[in-house]
Amino acid sequence: MTTALRQLHIEPLTREAFAPYGEVIEVSDAARHFTINDGNTERYHDLAHIDPGPDGRAIVSIFRGLARTLPLPVTLMERHPRGSQAFVPLQGRPYLVVVAPAGAPPAPDDLSVFLCQGNQGVNYAAGVWHHPLLALEATSDFLIIDRSGPGDNCDVVPLPETREIPALDL
């Protein structure tokens, strides 16, 4: 007998809803912005607190994520305790983030799922639990700003009970 997995609720990514986990990186009237370059460029300023932690340095990478198929079981979470980790999509495709508050390893009921639009990035605060990259639709590239430096900076834990991200219409 197969037991149905409890499904997670997917909500739209907003600054307010994501605030406990970090920052949303996007062009928005809510962000501080001003004109530069002789009036030819609008600068959306200081959108995320990049935290390389003590003895760390900020690095820039590109992650290429394969498209995930939904529904998707969520069996593990990871965190980077020594620094933040920012993800910015490069191809304008939607993607998902699964997060849980920093601190002790998350219980399944601690998980939140956000549908991010292709013009929205996220910056996970140091220690925030999150699922590995969840590209949708097609293989997708993401600009990543995170920490390099001494010490282990990736903890991975299995969830004590699997949850499922349901299928959704994009």
Side-chain angles (χ1 to χ4, degrees):
M1 177 177 193
T2 303
T3 304
L5 295 177
R6 287 184 47 198
Q7 290 195 335
L8 296 166
H9 171 73
I10 301 171
E11 59 184 292
L13 181 68
T14 65
R15 286 179 184 277
E16 298 77 22
F18 196 75
Y21 313 108
E23 298 95 15
V24 174
I25 302 169
E26 68 180 331
V27 170
S28 165
D29 287 338
R32 181 174 168 223
H33 58 99
F34 46 90
T35 304
I36 60 172
N37 297 336
D38 294 325
N40 293 298
T41 304
E42 191 72 8
R43 177 179 176 146
Y44 291 81
H45 186 73
D46 198 13
L47 298 175
H49 175 74
I50 303 301
D51 176 10
D55 301 321
R57 66 183 184 88
I59 61 170
V60 176
S61 306
I62 293 178
F63 289 10
R64 179 164 288 161
L66 299 177
R68 303 294 185 113
T69 301
L70 301 178
L72 178 79
V74 177
T75 61
L76 60 82
M77 296 291 280
E78 67 177 48
R79 70 173 175 184
H80 304 282
R82 297 180 180 270
S84 63
Q85 189 177 44
F87 285 72
V88 179
L90 295 177
Q91 291 147 321
R93 294 187 186 110
Y95 63 103
L96 293 172
V97 297
V98 180
V99 290
D109 291 338
D110 295 335
L111 305 181
S112 294
V113 184
F114 295 97
L115 174 61
C116 308
Q117 299 306 311
N119 63 345
Q120 295 177 303
V122 296
N123 184 48
Y124 300 122
V128 165
W129 292 98
H130 60 278
H131 192 277
L133 184 59
L134 293 170
L136 300 173
E137 296 183 346
T139 298
S140 299
D141 293 342
F142 292 79
L143 182 75
I144 309 302
I145 305 167
D146 64 353
R147 177 190 190 274
S148 179
D152 292 332
N153 191 34
C154 186
D155 299 328
V156 179
V157 297
L159 289 174
E161 184 181 317
T162 300
R163 289 291 189 266
E164 182 178 73
I165 299 172
L168 63 116
D169 295 321
L170 295 175

mmCIF file of all heavy atoms in Angstrom, residues 51-78:
data_model
loop_
_atom_site.group_PDB
_atom_site.id
_atom_site.type_symbol
_atom_site.label_atom_id
_atom_site.label_comp_id
_atom_site.label_asym_id
_atom_site.label_seq_id
_atom_site.Cartn_x
_atom_site.Cartn_y
_atom_site.Cartn_z
ATOM 1 N N ASP A 51 26.995 38.267 2.360
ATOM 2 C CA ASP A 51 27.728 38.025 3.601
ATOM 3 C C ASP A 51 28.713 36.884 3.402
ATOM 4 O O ASP A 51 28.326 35.717 3.441
ATOM 5 C CB ASP A 51 26.730 37.683 4.713
ATOM 6 C CG ASP A 51 27.385 37.326 6.025
ATOM 7 O OD1 ASP A 51 28.614 37.507 6.171
ATOM 8 O OD2 ASP A 51 26.663 36.847 6.921
ATOM 9 N N PRO A 52 30.017 37.189 3.172
ATOM 10 C CA PRO A 52 30.979 36.107 3.015
ATOM 11 C C PRO A 52 31.458 35.520 4.344
ATOM 12 O O PRO A 52 32.225 34.563 4.353
ATOM 13 C CB PRO A 52 32.137 36.775 2.267
ATOM 14 C CG PRO A 52 32.073 38.192 2.693
ATOM 15 C CD PRO A 52 30.611 38.493 2.918
ATOM 16 N N GLY A 53 30.981 36.056 5.459
ATOM 17 C CA GLY A 53 31.356 35.543 6.771
ATOM 18 C C GLY A 53 32.811 35.843 7.098
ATOM 19 O O GLY A 53 33.581 36.297 6.258
ATOM 20 N N PRO A 54 33.182 35.567 8.348
ATOM 21 C CA PRO A 54 34.562 35.820 8.779
ATOM 22 C C PRO A 54 35.548 35.012 7.931
ATOM 23 O O PRO A 54 35.316 33.847 7.622
ATOM 24 C CB PRO A 54 34.588 35.336 10.227
ATOM 25 C CG PRO A 54 33.165 35.322 10.658
ATOM 26 C CD PRO A 54 32.354 35.054 9.426
ATOM 27 N N ASP A 55 36.614 35.655 7.521
ATOM 28 C CA ASP A 55 37.689 35.029 6.746
ATOM 29 C C ASP A 55 37.250 34.540 5.366
ATOM 30 O O ASP A 55 37.986 33.819 4.701
ATOM 31 C CB ASP A 55 38.325 33.856 7.512
ATOM 32 C CG ASP A 55 38.916 34.277 8.837
ATOM 33 O OD1 ASP A 55 39.512 35.373 8.885
ATOM 34 O OD2 ASP A 55 38.757 33.532 9.816
ATOM 35 N N GLY A 56 36.065 34.904 4.927
ATOM 36 C CA GLY A 56 35.599 34.487 3.606
ATOM 37 C C GLY A 56 35.728 35.612 2.601
ATOM 38 O O GLY A 56 36.031 36.755 2.949
ATOM 39 N N ARG A 57 35.494 35.275 1.350
ATOM 40 C CA ARG A 57 35.443 36.286 0.299
ATOM 41 C C ARG A 57 34.284 35.941 -0.621
ATOM 42 O O ARG A 57 33.936 34.770 -0.786
ATOM 43 C CB ARG A 57 36.750 36.385 -0.472
ATOM 44 C CG ARG A 57 37.112 35.171 -1.280
ATOM 45 C CD ARG A 57 38.478 35.339 -1.965
ATOM 46 N NE ARG A 57 38.770 34.200 -2.810
ATOM 47 C CZ ARG A 57 38.406 34.078 -4.093
ATOM 48 N NH1 ARG A 57 37.754 35.058 -4.681
ATOM 49 N NH2 ARG A 57 38.695 33.000 -4.780
ATOM 50 N N ALA A 58 33.669 36.956 -1.188
ATOM 51 C CA ALA A 58 32.557 36.750 -2.105
ATOM 52 C C ALA A 58 33.098 36.268 -3.444
ATOM 53 O O ALA A 58 34.087 36.800 -3.946
ATOM 54 C CB ALA A 58 31.760 38.034 -2.281
ATOM 55 N N ILE A 59 32.453 35.237 -4.004
ATOM 56 C CA ILE A 59 32.819 34.723 -5.319
ATOM 57 C C ILE A 59 31.582 34.709 -6.210
ATOM 58 O O ILE A 59 30.450 34.679 -5.721
ATOM 59 C CB ILE A 59 33.453 33.317 -5.254
ATOM 60 C CG1 ILE A 59 32.486 32.297 -4.654
ATOM 61 C CG2 ILE A 59 34.767 33.355 -4.482
ATOM 62 C CD1 ILE A 59 32.951 30.848 -4.776
ATOM 63 N N VAL A 60 31.799 34.745 -7.516
ATOM 64 C CA VAL A 60 30.728 34.713 -8.500
ATOM 65 C C VAL A 60 30.903 33.451 -9.340
ATOM 66 O O VAL A 60 31.992 33.187 -9.854
ATOM 67 C CB VAL A 60 30.771 35.971 -9.401
ATOM 68 C CG1 VAL A 60 29.728 35.893 -10.497
ATOM 69 C CG2 VAL A 60 30.581 37.231 -8.567
ATOM 70 N N SER A 61 29.828 32.662 -9.477
ATOM 71 C CA SER A 61 29.843 31.426 -10.252
ATOM 72 C C SER A 61 28.576 31.366 -11.091
ATOM 73 O O SER A 61 27.643 32.142 -10.884
ATOM 74 C CB SER A 61 29.866 30.196 -9.323
ATOM 75 O OG SER A 61 30.926 30.257 -8.407
ATOM 76 N N ILE A 62 28.535 30.439 -12.017
ATOM 77 C CA ILE A 62 27.306 30.125 -12.734
ATOM 78 C C ILE A 62 26.990 28.659 -12.472
ATOM 79 O O ILE A 62 27.849 27.794 -12.621
ATOM 80 C CB ILE A 62 27.429 30.401 -14.247
ATOM 81 C CG1 ILE A 62 27.572 31.909 -14.483
ATOM 82 C CG2 ILE A 62 26.219 29.840 -14.994
ATOM 83 C CD1 ILE A 62 27.756 32.307 -15.926
ATOM 84 N N PHE A 63 25.760 28.406 -12.020
ATOM 85 C CA PHE A 63 25.262 27.043 -11.849
ATOM 86 C C PHE A 63 24.324 26.760 -13.015
ATOM 87 O O PHE A 63 23.460 27.582 -13.325
ATOM 88 C CB PHE A 63 24.451 26.894 -10.559
ATOM 89 C CG PHE A 63 25.228 26.951 -9.268
ATOM 90 C CD1 PHE A 63 26.556 27.330 -9.205
ATOM 91 C CD2 PHE A 63 24.581 26.636 -8.087
ATOM 92 C CE1 PHE A 63 27.234 27.385 -8.001
ATOM 93 C CE2 PHE A 63 25.252 26.674 -6.876
ATOM 94 C CZ PHE A 63 26.581 27.045 -6.826
ATOM 95 N N ARG A 64 24.468 25.620 -13.635
ATOM 96 C CA ARG A 64 23.557 25.187 -14.702
ATOM 97 C C ARG A 64 22.714 24.062 -14.136
ATOM 98 O O ARG A 64 23.210 22.972 -13.871
ATOM 99 C CB ARG A 64 24.339 24.727 -15.923
ATOM 100 C CG ARG A 64 23.459 24.243 -17.055
ATOM 101 C CD ARG A 64 24.202 24.171 -18.358
ATOM 102 N NE ARG A 64 24.430 25.545 -18.828
ATOM 103 C CZ ARG A 64 25.348 25.877 -19.727
ATOM 104 N NH1 ARG A 64 26.120 24.968 -20.268
ATOM 105 N NH2 ARG A 64 25.476 27.137 -20.095
ATOM 106 N N GLY A 65 21.418 24.340 -13.920
ATOM 107 C CA GLY A 65 20.516 23.372 -13.305
ATOM 108 C C GLY A 65 19.625 22.691 -14.327
ATOM 109 O O GLY A 65 19.035 23.367 -15.177
ATOM 110 N N LEU A 66 19.530 21.375 -14.246
ATOM 111 C CA LEU A 66 18.600 20.637 -15.091
ATOM 112 C C LEU A 66 17.182 20.906 -14.627
ATOM 113 O O LEU A 66 16.930 21.086 -13.430
ATOM 114 C CB LEU A 66 18.890 19.139 -15.022
ATOM 115 C CG LEU A 66 20.280 18.694 -15.488
ATOM 116 C CD1 LEU A 66 20.446 17.195 -15.294
ATOM 117 C CD2 LEU A 66 20.516 19.090 -16.930
ATOM 118 N N ALA A 67 16.251 20.905 -15.567
ATOM 119 C CA ALA A 67 14.838 21.132 -15.222
ATOM 120 C C ALA A 67 14.337 19.975 -14.366
ATOM 121 O O ALA A 67 14.605 18.811 -14.660
ATOM 122 C CB ALA A 67 14.005 21.260 -16.485
ATOM 123 N N ARG A 68 13.623 20.300 -13.324
ATOM 124 C CA ARG A 68 13.008 19.298 -12.446
ATOM 125 C C ARG A 68 11.601 19.003 -12.928
ATOM 126 O O ARG A 68 10.923 19.861 -13.485
ATOM 127 C CB ARG A 68 12.957 19.788 -11.001
ATOM 128 C CG ARG A 68 14.293 20.180 -10.409
ATOM 129 C CD ARG A 68 15.235 18.986 -10.248
ATOM 130 N NE ARG A 68 16.458 19.391 -9.567
ATOM 131 C CZ ARG A 68 16.799 18.970 -8.354
ATOM 132 N NH1 ARG A 68 16.051 18.103 -7.707
ATOM 133 N NH2 ARG A 68 17.905 19.402 -7.803
ATOM 134 N N THR A 69 11.161 17.793 -12.679
ATOM 135 C CA THR A 69 9.811 17.376 -13.036
ATOM 136 C C THR A 69 8.951 17.382 -11.782
ATOM 137 O O THR A 69 9.349 16.848 -10.747
ATOM 138 C CB THR A 69 9.833 15.955 -13.645
ATOM 139 O OG1 THR A 69 10.670 15.986 -14.803
ATOM 140 C CG2 THR A 69 8.447 15.516 -14.050
ATOM 141 N N LEU A 70 7.787 18.000 -11.880
ATOM 142 C CA LEU A 70 6.839 18.048 -10.768
ATOM 143 C C LEU A 70 5.722 17.060 -11.034
ATOM 144 O O LEU A 70 5.366 16.850 -12.192
ATOM 145 C CB LEU A 70 6.274 19.463 -10.613
ATOM 146 C CG LEU A 70 7.300 20.565 -10.347
ATOM 147 C CD1 LEU A 70 6.598 21.916 -10.255
ATOM 148 C CD2 LEU A 70 8.102 20.299 -9.088
ATOM 149 N N PRO A 71 5.144 16.438 -10.024
ATOM 150 C CA PRO A 71 5.466 16.608 -8.604
ATOM 151 C C PRO A 71 6.871 16.087 -8.282
ATOM 152 O O PRO A 71 7.379 15.195 -8.950
ATOM 153 C CB PRO A 71 4.395 15.803 -7.881
ATOM 154 C CG PRO A 71 3.810 14.882 -8.894
ATOM 155 C CD PRO A 71 4.068 15.470 -10.239
ATOM 156 N N LEU A 72 7.449 16.660 -7.208
ATOM 157 C CA LEU A 72 8.819 16.344 -6.817
ATOM 158 C C LEU A 72 8.871 16.066 -5.317
ATOM 159 O O LEU A 72 8.456 16.912 -4.524
ATOM 160 C CB LEU A 72 9.743 17.521 -7.141
ATOM 161 C CG LEU A 72 11.201 17.340 -6.739
ATOM 162 C CD1 LEU A 72 11.925 16.469 -7.761
ATOM 163 C CD2 LEU A 72 11.889 18.686 -6.617
ATOM 164 N N PRO A 73 9.385 14.900 -4.926
ATOM 165 C CA PRO A 73 9.546 14.655 -3.492
ATOM 166 C C PRO A 73 10.692 15.497 -2.921
ATOM 167 O O PRO A 73 11.720 15.670 -3.567
ATOM 168 C CB PRO A 73 9.871 13.159 -3.414
ATOM 169 C CG PRO A 73 10.343 12.772 -4.768
ATOM 170 C CD PRO A 73 9.774 13.765 -5.743
ATOM 171 N N VAL A 74 10.488 16.040 -1.743
ATOM 172 C CA VAL A 74 11.512 16.811 -1.034
ATOM 173 C C VAL A 74 11.990 15.933 0.110
ATOM 174 O O VAL A 74 11.241 15.656 1.051
ATOM 175 C CB VAL A 74 10.953 18.155 -0.520
ATOM 176 C CG1 VAL A 74 12.003 18.907 0.283
ATOM 177 C CG2 VAL A 74 10.451 18.996 -1.678
ATOM 178 N N THR A 75 13.238 15.488 0.013
ATOM 179 C CA THR A 75 13.775 14.536 0.979
ATOM 180 C C THR A 75 14.926 15.083 1.804
ATOM 181 O O THR A 75 15.316 14.455 2.785
ATOM 182 C CB THR A 75 14.262 13.264 0.259
ATOM 183 O OG1 THR A 75 15.309 13.627 -0.653
ATOM 184 C CG2 THR A 75 13.129 12.579 -0.490
ATOM 185 N N LEU A 76 15.474 16.246 1.395
ATOM 186 C CA LEU A 76 16.626 16.792 2.111
ATOM 187 C C LEU A 76 16.638 18.301 2.011
ATOM 188 O O LEU A 76 15.958 18.892 1.172
ATOM 189 C CB LEU A 76 17.933 16.211 1.569
ATOM 190 C CG LEU A 76 18.270 16.443 0.096
ATOM 191 C CD1 LEU A 76 18.890 17.799 -0.163
ATOM 192 C CD2 LEU A 76 19.205 15.363 -0.393
ATOM 193 N N MET A 77 17.433 18.902 2.871
ATOM 194 C CA MET A 77 17.653 20.347 2.851
ATOM 195 C C MET A 77 19.134 20.587 3.112
ATOM 196 O O MET A 77 19.828 19.736 3.678
ATOM 197 C CB MET A 77 16.806 21.047 3.912
ATOM 198 C CG MET A 77 15.300 20.933 3.700
ATOM 199 S SD MET A 77 14.674 21.842 2.289
ATOM 200 C CE MET A 77 14.589 23.491 2.993
ATOM 201 N N GLU A 78 19.606 21.766 2.701
ATOM 202 C CA GLU A 78 20.990 22.146 2.948
ATOM 203 C C GLU A 78 21.035 23.577 3.474
ATOM 204 O O GLU A 78 20.060 24.313 3.369
ATOM 205 C CB GLU A 78 21.828 22.023 1.678
ATOM 206 C CG GLU A 78 21.470 23.014 0.593
ATOM 207 C CD GLU A 78 22.377 22.905 -0.624
ATOM 208 O OE1 GLU A 78 22.610 21.784 -1.116
ATOM 209 O OE2 GLU A 78 22.839 23.962 -1.086
#
